[in-house]
Amino acid sequence: MSRDRMVVALDIGTSKITVLVGEIDDIGDLHIVAYGESKAKGLDKGIINKPSDAVRSIREAIDMAESTAGSKITTVISNVGGYHLECKNDSEKTDFGMSQKSITESDIDNLIEKVASKLPRENYEIIHIIPKKYILDEEDEIIDPVGLVGSKIEGKFHIILDKINAYTNLKKVIELSGVRVANFVANPVASASAVLYPEEKDMGIVVLDIGAGTTDMAIYREGSIDYIKSFPVGGNQVTMDIAHRFKVSKEEAESLKIEYGGAIADLAENHIIEVLQRGSEDPIQIEQFELVDTIEARLSEIFEIIKNELEELDFINKINGGIVITGGVANTPYLKELAENILGMDVRIGKPKDYKGFSDKIAFPQYSTAIGMLLFSKNNASGHPVTTVESSSDLDVFGFFKNFVEKIKNLF
């Protein structure tokens, strides 16, 4: 495989920074050919709170990926998330008059530009304008109308926006780490790209990416995205609950959560665990039941928040495909059972799919966002093929989006 079909994903999370280099082969399969990771610093719940630390963390992950790849990374696709993301659905029409005409890419672009012109650009940056469906002559619902004939066309779109300050600060920090940003992908969109099957989108399904700092939700109905939201609660809150209850350090609490944690206290094993409390050299003993009880309380709160949100949106009885949970917290034993008990729906744990390589390192829910960005770029770039990157010595995805980014924003 040649280096002119490469794309680089930069996943900036609250607990870790991940860099994945993907290569597209001649039949369109995605191969992960390089990997880098570092502990995240200077970020919390999708917000940059200490830029210098964030830059160092990003650079460390990039350096590791460059070492694995044997080439310099100059351009990346990055994720964007947090409670400052907003979404809305909108539509636009074009009437061609009495005569029938063949629908072109330019006609679709014009609809998108009309939608974009109505958006509040002073305080927001457009992340995605995602086509949901098109309607020809007020009758036929079409997924891809290009080449079909009609006298009127209406497009229905899902729009994702980011607060301009959060967007600008994130972009600046990434660029200070020495790379350009070719494109941003919203966390819920990336995660869904990695874990969902087409039939699930048709049935109606909810994706929950529960990470360290946030829980990102995406709702798909009738084959396309319908709603996203980010909640400022995640695995870090679980860790802090453990630290507070048992008076241990955050590092000790995280280790306890990973080694002995679970989501349902009644299913916990009857282990006695020795822990060192803050400021003490003498260990104390706690029961594993107490630890899991602490974890269950916070995870139950997260699922109650999701349930209330779905009820307020009147989606609770429209999600026939159930719930897919991904993200680092999805590794918690018995999380599926807890979620099913509270939400009253079928639940499965979503692991990233549709890629090859590095499966021993990244075949886990916490890598869904990073892999999803690569899959999004491979499959969903408005039908544009992967184009040749001019430099073969740098891992530069700018050519991949050369025509694409001249448009308003990303499309499915």
Side-chain angles (χ1 to χ4, degrees), residues 364-379:
F364 305 101
Q366 58 266 40
Y367 296 101
S368 293
T369 298
I371 294 171
M373 282 190 279
L374 299 179
L375 293 170
F376 173 88
S377 304
K378 179 179 82 76
N379 297 327

Side-chain angles (χ1 to χ4, degrees), residues 94-97 99-100 103 135-138 150-154:
T94 299
D95 190 334
F96 303 114
S99 61
Q100 299 275 321
I103 307 300
I135 301 173
L136 284 180
D137 295 332
E138 300 179 349
S151 60
K152 298 177 183 178
I153 184 170
E154 178 181 4

